[in-house]
Amino acid sequence: MSQAAPEPRKTLDPDRVAEWLATHPDFFVGREGLLQQLKVPHPEAGGATSLLERLVHDLRGRAEKAEERLEQLLESARHNEAQYRRTRELVLALVAAQDRDALGQALSTQFSEHFATPAVALWCPASLSDAEPRPPQAPRQVIDEHAGSRLAGLLDGRTSRCVRLTPTDWKRLLPHTGAPRRSGSCAITRLSLGEPLGYLILASRDPDHFRASMDTLFTEYVGDVVARLLIRLGPDHA
């Protein structure tokens, strides 16, 4: 004979049981044996496992996730510290430059050795070099009509931008360095300090080194430092 179904008044609503347990968290105090009898679905193997084993499994998973997040934070901190040290060395080297040619050389050396950027160009208007005793030395270049037009075109009205650089543009804008056979990439920032002071180009033969989606805050920061030093290192400010 089949067992009769329980009367409705004797059936407990699972939601009400869960609500009651949530408001009585001390229910299992003194009832530890009951905890060992409870069975819950196993999260991986299927079937059922004890509540205590499930809790241990969940806690282990939370601990592993916490360790992963901590490692990510530590890795980010290490990256930021390394970036700070590289930026500090860069700025100190720029400040130590004795003239504008030395400033250009410091830019080239620092970016090549510490930022994996092998090519740098510092384009300045002729007004910044007319009073100098000798022509500018690479990576400094004097802006002419064609270079100025192309640089403005690549920026497309922006202050700073990361773009692909074709071999033709490379030869035109970084004439002191060997051009790649295929397109590279670059970060360009406009230099100004109350007046136009030119452009700074940081270039790589890797077409993905400077991507259009990259933030240009660092490039603009370097450009601000360079613009101030270009003025300070002029003949009138020696």
Side-chain angles (χ1 to χ4, degrees), residues 112-215:
S112 176
E113 294 182 355
H114 302 298
F115 294 92
T117 304
V120 172
L122 183 57
W123 285 89
C124 299
S127 59
L128 285 185
S129 57
D130 284 345
E132 295 178 351
R134 61 178 183 175
Q137 303 297 306
R140 289 176 65 205
Q141 305 289 340
V142 178
I143 298 177
D144 56 24
E145 180 180 353
H146 297 291
S149 175
R150 187 56 187 146
L151 286 164
L154 288 173
L155 276 177
D156 193 25
R158 307 178 194 182
T159 300
S160 187
R161 189 184 182 194
C162 294
V163 295
R164 287 287 181 96
L165 201 62
T166 66
T168 299
D169 280 334
W170 187 295
K171 293 176 182 178
R172 179 185 301 168
L173 302 178
L174 296 112
H176 54 287
T177 63
R181 294 183 178 179
R182 298 183 178 181
S183 293
S185 59
C186 72
I188 307 176
T189 187
R190 180 181 286 107
L191 307 177
S192 63
L193 190 62
E195 60 179 305
L197 297 174
Y199 302 86
L200 173 64
I201 304 177
L202 310 175
S204 171
R205 290 174 174 81
D206 180 355
D208 296 319
H209 187 80
F210 294 104
R211 300 181 301 277
S213 59
M214 291 179 62
D215 183 79

